[in-house]
Amino acid sequence: MELPKRVQLKEVGPRDGLQNEKGFIPTEEKIKLIDRLSETGLDYIEVTSFVHPKWIPQLADAVKVLKSIKRNPNVTYAALVPNMKGLERALECNVDEVSIFMSASEGHNQANINKSINETFPILKEVVEGALAAGKNVRGYVSTVITCPYDGYTEPTQVVRIAEKLFEMGVTEISLGDTIGVGVPTQVDTLLIEMLRHFKSEQLAMHFHDTRGTALANVMTSLMHGITKFDSSIGGLGGCPYAKGASGNVATEDLLYMLQEMGIETGVQLERVTEVALSMENVLGKKLSSKQVMIARGEE
Ligand SMILES: CC(C)(COP(=O)([O-])OP(=O)([O-])OC[C@H]1O[C@@H](n2cnc3c(N)ncnc32)[C@H](O)[C@@H]1OP(=O)([O-])[O-])[C@@H](O)C(=O)NCCC(=O)NCCSC(=O)C[C@@](C)(O)CC(=O)[O-]
């Protein structure tokens, strides 16, 4: 079986991981989390999001967080940006990379960003133009690529249509989100066969939530298609408040363990990431569900 020799992990814990947490996490703790993650070998961290604080109150401190972290020159610090207002705030803090986002399905797009798919394109086009003019790279998320909590199954051709539009705008990479974490390997296979007829594997990243425990199997299927970029979240935290039933992302430390044992390099230190994940249990006042954290707790 031919698998990639090296994979890049994009840590989305401080943004996707925390956005769904109910109680407000003190800003100092978010900064500490990002600073600790910056010392684990990760080279990409999505730190926050410049969405409307009314929609995601947990990340209302985005400006303070991004301005206060200790930047490691080897790490790209990215943030989610939905529109020009968000871009202004992100540029004010000198974000390294901008992540725009929309869904492949109408139902989730409307619930998540209060716009139809067609209304979203010109808004994002303006954001991409503004970010590129400011010298920032732009990454695009396409959510609900397998199933939408409102509209059901998503046709792969619809994902291709949205991805083509985002690439035309100037994004350099698209992260494909199984937003509610119900996808299975055969569906990922079907999706990637279609996507790879139109795009190169280097242009794609995969973003798996793990609601049904299928995320690692979906990563494996993606590796077999030559995908080398995966989003993951420390401790398996995460979820979208506008996607009912969505649980956390694949846990960074569980993904790292699997890759490491398969001899795939990441440059990230499993022990350090696990320590950071474990420390989040105190901050959040709850046990995390990742296997590596359970083992570190002595609960094998
Ligand atoms: C997109 C909007 C802003 C539209 O929200 P809206 O209410 O339609 O916004 P609007 O453009 O009509 O503006 C209304 C007011 O909000 C202000 N406003 C407008 N934008 C901003 C901004 N950026 N920052 C601060 N303020 C803002 C704007 O200035 C105005 O203020 P007013 O004039 O009334 O005083 C809203 O729907 C929103 O913030 N949605 C984000 C929801 C979200 O973050 N969801 C979770 C993301 S996770 C995800 O999408 C999936 C992903 C990426 O993780 C991958 C996967 O798992 O698949």
Side-chain angles (χ1 to χ4, degrees):
M1 186 173 31
E2 181 91 20
L3 293 176
K5 304 262 178 298
R6 191 173 177 93
V7 153
Q8 185 189 24
L9 297 193
K10 301 204 165 190
E11 172 61 46
V12 296
R15 193 279 300 171
D16 202 341
L18 300 188
Q19 73 182 9
N20 212 22
E21 288 297 317
K22 296 283 171 282
F24 187 76
I25 299 153
T27 306
E28 288 314 313
E29 294 294 348
K30 292 173 183 150
I31 296 165
K32 235 191 274 175
L33 169 65
I34 298 161
D35 287 347
R36 294 190 72 190
L37 287 170
S38 298
E39 300 303 321
T40 59
L42 284 161
D43 62 6
Y44 188 101
I45 308 177
E46 195 175 77
V47 290
T48 189
S49 100
F50 292 93
V51 298
H52 196 303
K54 182 183 76 188
W55 288 63
I56 305 284
Q58 183 61 258
L59 303 181
D61 54 5
V63 169
K64 178 87 198 294
V65 167
L66 194 44
K67 282 189 174 172
S68 309
I69 55 175
K70 282 193 217 91
R71 298 216 186 181
N72 177 335
N74 300 320
V75 179
T76 297
Y77 296 96
L80 218 60
V81 168
N83 55 18
M84 286 307 279
K85 177 84 187 166
L87 183 65
E88 269 168 40
R89 295 171 59 215
L91 293 180
E92 182 199 321
C93 323
N94 194 23
V95 72
D96 291 335
E97 182 172 297
V98 167
S99 300
I100 56 165
F101 61 107
M102 66 180 294
S103 312
S105 58
E106 280 297 346
H108 184 257
N109 204 68
Q110 191 70 52
N112 198 38
I113 50 178
N114 207 23
K115 303 278 180 299
S116 70
I117 286 177
N118 281 338
E119 285 166 344
T120 303
F121 290 133
I123 296 170
L124 295 187
K125 187 166 185 284
E126 211 186 345
V127 172
V128 177
E129 283 168 1
L132 294 178
K136 307 295 176 186
N137 191 50
V138 188
R139 178 182 210 231
Y141 278 103
V142 182
S143 294
T144 60
V145 296
I146 291 177
T147 303
C148 170
Y150 305 95
D151 302 347
Y153 180 70
T154 304
E155 288 295 339
T157 48
Q158 168 67 0
V159 184
V160 168
R161 184 177 90 85
I162 305 285
E164 267 169 351
K165 291 268 194 194
L166 298 185
F167 279 127
E168 272 166 32
M169 289 177 198
V171 309
T172 51
E173 171 184 310
I174 288 197
S175 172
L176 299 171
D178 176 15
T179 313
I180 53 172
V182 297
V184 296
T186 45
Q187 291 172 317
V188 174
D189 184 52
T190 305
L191 172 67
L192 283 176
I193 288 171
E194 186 60 28
M195 292 301 290
L196 293 169
R197 288 179 56 230
H198 300 266
F199 313 107
K200 297 194 178 79
S201 57
E202 310 87 82
Q203 292 179 286
L204 303 177
M206 302 306 286
H207 179 107
F208 293 116
H209 286 260
D210 199 26
T211 314
R212 301 292 180 123
T214 52
L216 284 178
N218 291 339
V219 168
M220 187 64 197
T221 305
S222 311
L223 287 169
M224 289 164 78
H225 279 283
I227 301 292
T228 55
K229 288 178 276 194
F230 295 93
D231 300 348
S232 63
S233 173
I234 187 102
L237 290 166
C240 174
Y242 301 99
K244 199 163 174 282
S247 76
N249 291 89
V250 64
T252 306
E253 57 278 14
D254 288 347
L255 178 52
L256 265 175
Y257 172 80
M258 184 178 93
L259 294 171
Q260 186 175 290
E261 293 301 302
M262 291 199 299
I264 297 176
E265 284 172 34
T266 61
V268 186
Q269 296 174 48
L270 173 60
E271 292 75 20
R272 292 182 92 162
V273 169
T274 306
E275 273 169 30
V276 181
L278 197 55
S279 73
M280 284 309 286
E281 293 197 328
N282 287 336
V283 175
L284 300 173
K286 66 177 184 188
K287 288 191 171 180
L288 300 183
S289 59
S290 91
K291 300 285 183 242
Q292 298 309 310
V293 166
M294 282 168 68
I295 291 164
R297 248 197 259 119
E299 288 175 18
E300 270 179 87

